[in-house]
Amino acid sequence: MRANPDARGLLQIAASTFRADVLPHVAPEARFAALMVANALEIAERELKGLDTAGHSMLAALALLYGEDADDGLSGDDLRKRVEALQHRLCIEIAAGDFDNEGQDVLMDSLEAIVQARLGISNPKALGQQ
């Protein structure tokens, strides 16, 4: 059993301590920079917590676009690499005009799902979460 907090726990402790104990004492001219630090800590915490969930959402959208299996068994680095590879493929195909005539509806649905998965981590308030 682990007695010490993991990376998520450490980020959570750092973010809450920073907001509660440091931020109230920051000089007004440094407040913007301090808020950026607090937000960065919270984004990193959400990313660690929701990375696989967001990755599976993106993979499902890309798999639908390409008619492939979403492979729910992937996690961590393997999941990230698979999503990145499919996103790279998608960028190349968009740039080549592969979706200019056909498949735009599925493409738009996939892009929307990808953006929502990313927003769920970077700015959940934009999705009405949190």
Side-chain angles (χ1 to χ4, degrees):
M1 180 155 168
R2 182 179 206 131
N4 297 321
D6 61 5
R8 280 188 297 184
L10 290 172
L11 281 169
Q12 182 180 19
I13 291 166
S16 64
T17 302
F18 188 83
R19 282 207 181 268
D21 298 338
V22 177
L23 200 53
H25 304 289
V26 171
E29 60 273 7
R31 186 141 176 91
F32 179 74
L35 286 170
M36 286 189 349
V37 169
N39 287 335
L41 288 169
E42 291 167 355
I43 289 169
E45 178 190 355
R46 283 192 305 270
E47 186 170 318
L48 283 174
K49 186 177 3 177
L51 197 57
D52 276 2
T53 301
H56 281 290
S57 294
M58 289 186 270
L59 183 57
L62 290 161
L64 176 66
L65 182 67
Y66 290 117
E68 295 183 7
D69 179 27
D71 197 353
D72 293 335
L74 291 176
S75 64
D77 233 20
D78 293 333
L79 176 59
R80 180 188 56 78
K81 287 177 185 177
R82 183 71 182 129
V83 169
E84 286 176 358
L86 287 172
Q87 286 178 332
H88 181 72
R89 175 181 170 186
L90 179 59
C91 290
I92 290 170
E93 291 176 3
I94 290 172
D98 291 356
F99 294 96
D100 288 353
N101 299 316
E102 294 179 21
Q104 286 189 356
D105 291 340
V106 177
L107 172 65
M108 291 302 161
D109 290 344
S110 295
L111 291 175
E112 183 178 348
I114 291 167
V115 168
Q116 286 183 354
R118 288 177 182 246
L119 274 175
I121 290 173
S122 66
N123 190 1
K125 289 179 185 176
L127 296 174
Q129 299 174 355
Q130 199 174 352

